[in-house]
Amino acid sequence: MNFTRWSALLPGTQRRAQARTDSSSNALPPEGSSVPAARAERRTAKEADEAADAADTGEAETPPDPTVDELPVREVLDRIPALVALVHGPEHRLAYVNDAYVEAFGARPVGEPAREALPELEEIGLLSLLDQVLRSSKPRTVLSRKVPTGRSYTFTCTPVPLDVSASPEGGGVLIFAADVTDQAEVADRLRVREGEQRETAVTLQRSLLPQKLEEPDDLRVAAVYHPGGTEAAVGGDWYDVITLGGGRTALVIGDVMGRGVRAAAVMGQLRTAVRAYARLDLPPHEVLQLLDGLATEIDANQIATCAYAVHDPNEGRLVYASAGHLPILVRDDSGTVLRAEEPIGPPLGTGGWMHASGSIPLGPGSTAVLYTDGLVERRDKDLDEGIAALEEALAGATGTPQVICDRLVRSAGMTADHDDDVAVLVLQHPSRTGSDGELFRNAALELLGGVEAAPRARAFASGVLTSWRFPTDLHDLGVLAASELVANSLQHGTPPMRLRLRRTDRRLIVEVTDGDDHLPRRRRAEPADEAGRGIAIVATIASNWGSRRTPGGGKSVWCEFALPRAT
């Protein structure tokens, strides 16, 4: 074959015209070899005569620079540091290897099939690539393959048309291998470093998420979190469950825009603030109003979406407020999925917006789902399509909250290389019947006011607690707490007034509501004071107590007693 015809096909090779002085191992092949030497361009007789005349007259021209066709290609190939081999025919019989190849793998027998002559190529699976190149007549490249010697090479296989007389078996393939060991080692170290950074970032974010969800009496909850992609830059998704007391539960989910440790840090601050604001037992829209101002103070350029909801088992509804977050989905006991779309305000950190609260039914047998956009948003689909697909998946998902979480994530087609974080929070308000239903009871009494209200309240509480078969000491504490809360409401509150007793499988709740929105506080009464001891007594005998303003005006004052485990 003619080396001058395929020398230009060598990828990434810089051909040099310097002739080699030694002629031992790299001399041109003898006459009759299957790899003939490069041909020199022959001049015509007329050109020779003209050159002779010019020499006689002293007008000889300076010989032109040598062209590519005049370069000794065999010597160039032997000098380059890259590995070069030439095979021909369907068995890829070896025709040539350069000095660099021999130095890397040792001498190779010319004329033998590549499977025997070049075993190092078979070990890295390159022989099948030679077949493809020979059949398709198109070059192929394999990046950074490690050979048995431990070094890494990028192999480029280029089809070469051979002289039929020199190679009757057909065309050949030129194998060119560039040493990329240093680059491969740097890439490996970089991947290890990125993996360590990602693990650190994910660990940071997971440490900022709740390590264990609080377990409300009336709800069953579960959550899942999946960090997105394989990059170190995790997102700022978070969720939380906060028991407010009095049987009420707050649920929150949010997503800080952006990625990385900064987003995770902002998420941690917002989550901590939500828990603090939730303890104030404020309406959902007021909590978001406080968060909005805090987000602006944390970072004026950082915004976040958030949905905050409160469940009250006495009302059977989920009261919520949304700051630019995706709508909450609720499936009722009949399987119908409702979408809590309004009202939705702008994201946190934008400022200047008055948020509002909405509500959606969440009675016994209902399931609600709070989620971040990573679950439903895809680059090739509209967001509404993703939410609609989630609604369909929720309609057919049954089982425990954890099972529903896993099914929703699977239905969304989540993969290991998903490029966005996903957080899902599922809550169920189970329907309780039979013996389980006996552990969850309610009783309420409307208080009309007057001197007879306090005795009626004590008698009502005593009768209810007796029917619930509470121990004597817990019975007496419950009656005393009801009496003190009612007396406080009669003295400082306004009608309408109501006494509510509620029991769960873990606690007794005593609650009194009235029409005055002034919240009581615990204070130290002086010996001569005739009032101011009721709340102090309740706080002393109860496991927990608190107060909150109710929608539409008024307040609620409650206390809780932990039930004995036997009960």
Side-chain angles (χ1 to χ4, degrees):
M1 68 162 290
N2 190 341
F3 277 94
T4 63
R5 298 306 179 194
W6 52 261
S7 60
L9 299 176
L10 294 177
T13 305
Q14 187 175 17
R15 297 164 179 80
R16 295 169 295 180
Q18 179 182 358
R20 299 187 57 186
T21 57
D22 59 322
S23 59
S24 55
S25 61
N26 294 320
L28 294 177
E31 187 70 24
S33 170
S34 61
V35 188
R39 295 179 301 174
E41 296 293 337
R42 299 179 179 178
R43 296 180 296 177
T44 64
K46 181 179 179 181
E47 291 173 341
D49 294 340
E50 292 176 353
D53 294 342
D56 293 339
T57 60
E59 299 177 356
E61 297 180 357
T62 302
D65 294 335
T67 64
V68 173
D69 288 343
E70 295 173 343
L71 296 178
V73 180
R74 172 67 177 266
E75 295 185 12
V76 173
L77 292 178
D78 282 339
R79 283 178 176 273
I80 63 176
L83 313 186
V84 179
L86 178 66
V87 297
H88 64 88
E91 293 184 351
H92 310 301
R93 294 184 178 275
L94 181 62
Y96 165 79
V97 291
N98 69 345
D99 289 351
Y101 200 106
V102 173
E103 183 179 353
F105 298 110
R108 291 293 181 263
V110 176
E112 296 294 328
R115 191 175 301 276
E116 301 173 4
L118 307 173
E120 59 276 357
L121 301 186
E122 183 179 10
E123 292 187 21
I124 63 175
L126 201 65
L127 296 186
S128 59
L129 185 66
L130 297 179
D131 294 334
Q132 297 177 17
V133 172
L134 197 60
R135 288 194 303 266
S136 65
S137 297
K138 295 181 179 180
R140 296 285 190 273
T141 299
V142 176
L143 300 177
S144 188
R145 288 289 180 89
K146 182 173 288 188
V147 298
T149 61
R151 301 194 69 80
S152 298
Y153 295 88
T154 290
F155 291 87
T156 298
C157 301
T158 304
V160 178
L162 298 179
D163 189 349
V164 177
S165 61
S167 179
E169 296 177 331
V173 179
L174 180 70
I175 304 169
F176 184 89
D179 192 333
V180 293
T181 303
D182 293 341
Q183 297 92 318
E185 291 177 352
V186 170
D188 289 341
R189 290 195 296 268
L190 182 60
R191 282 192 292 269
V192 171
R193 181 59 177 167
E194 288 178 347
E196 293 174 351
Q197 290 179 350
R198 172 175 169 76
E199 184 178 356
T200 301
V202 172
T203 302
L204 169 64
Q205 184 168 16
R206 289 191 181 276
S207 67
L208 296 175
L209 293 173
Q211 303 303 303
K212 184 179 180 181
L213 291 178
E214 297 184 17
E215 299 179 359
D217 294 358
D218 294 272
L219 298 177
R220 296 173 182 169
V221 295
V224 294
Y225 168 73
H226 293 282
T230 57
E231 300 178 357
V234 297
D237 295 18
W238 93 91
Y239 57 85
D240 210 346
V241 177
I242 310 166
T243 54
L244 302 178
R248 303 166 72 249
T249 305
L251 307 114
V252 59
I253 194 163
D255 184 2
V256 177
M257 301 302 177
R259 301 180 68 81
V261 176
R262 177 59 181 169
V266 173
M267 175 270 287
Q269 295 178 75
L270 291 179
R271 176 177 173 260
T272 302
V274 169
R275 296 192 67 87
Y277 295 149
R279 299 304 179 190
L280 300 176
D281 216 341
L282 300 172
H285 65 275
E286 293 189 19
V287 172
L288 292 190
Q289 207 71 48
L290 294 173
L291 281 178
D292 186 26
L294 179 64
T296 304
E297 295 178 4
I298 293 175
D299 190 342
N301 299 320
Q302 191 82 56
I303 63 174
T305 64
C306 180
Y308 181 87
V310 175
H311 176 257
D312 190 336
N314 296 322
E315 299 176 359
R317 301 187 68 83
L318 194 66
V319 181
Y320 66 90
S322 176
H325 204 77
L326 298 176
I328 301 172
L329 302 182
V330 176
R331 187 191 66 196
D332 60 21
D333 55 353
S334 65
T336 303
V337 177
L338 306 176
R339 185 186 298 189
E341 292 185 307
E342 298 295 340
I344 297 179
L348 303 176
T350 56
W353 181 268
M354 295 299 296
H355 292 273
S357 295
S359 66
I360 189 170
L362 188 71
S366 299
T367 300
V369 178
L370 293 80
Y371 53 96
T372 57
D373 57 359
L375 184 66
V376 295
E377 190 173 27
R378 300 293 181 271
R379 294 179 180 178
D380 56 344
K381 292 184 180 180
D382 186 76
L383 182 59
D384 288 336
E385 294 181 14
I387 297 177
L390 181 62
E391 290 179 349
E392 183 177 355
L394 177 60
T398 58
T400 64
Q402 187 61 57
V403 170
I404 294 178
C405 277
D406 297 338
R407 289 183 178 179
L408 294 181
V409 172
R410 287 198 302 269
S411 68
M414 292 287 301
T415 58
D417 58 350
H418 188 64
D419 60 357
D420 195 4
D421 291 18
V422 173
V424 183
L425 178 62
V426 174
L427 58 138
Q428 285 182 341
H429 187 190
S431 298
R432 294 182 172 89
T433 58
S435 58
D436 189 29
E438 291 295 324
L439 299 178
F440 292 81
R441 305 289 294 273
N442 275 289
L445 174 66
E446 297 292 340
L447 300 174
L448 302 178
V451 293
E452 73 282 357
R456 291 184 60 242
R458 287 193 294 270
F460 174 79
S462 178
V464 169
L465 298 181
T466 300
S467 66
W468 289 350
R469 300 179 181 178
F470 280 163
T472 303
D473 55 346
L474 185 58
H475 171 279
D476 294 343
L477 291 176
V479 172
L480 176 59
S483 176
E484 292 297 336
L485 292 181
V486 168
N488 184 79
S489 179
L490 289 173
Q491 183 174 359
H492 303 287
T494 58
M497 292 178 288
R498 169 185 289 186
L499 168 64
R500 182 187 297 275
L501 302 177
R502 176 173 174 78
R503 71 155 296 168
T504 68
D505 57 343
R506 284 178 279 181
R507 72 195 79 235
L508 165 66
I509 302 170
V510 180
E511 182 180 25
V512 174
T513 60
D514 63 52
D516 184 79
D517 60 1
H518 177 73
L519 300 180
R521 59 184 179 87
R522 184 179 180 181
R523 63 185 179 88
R524 182 185 298 276
E526 297 298 331
D529 292 343
E530 296 182 358
R533 296 180 177 82
I535 296 299
I537 293 174
V538 170
T540 301
I541 64 175
S543 305
N544 191 18
W545 80 280
S547 61
R548 63 183 177 89
R549 291 185 174 89
T550 56
K555 67 175 180 294
S556 169
V557 185
W558 53 268
C559 65
E560 297 178 347
F561 297 89
L563 301 185
R565 290 186 178 274
T567 305

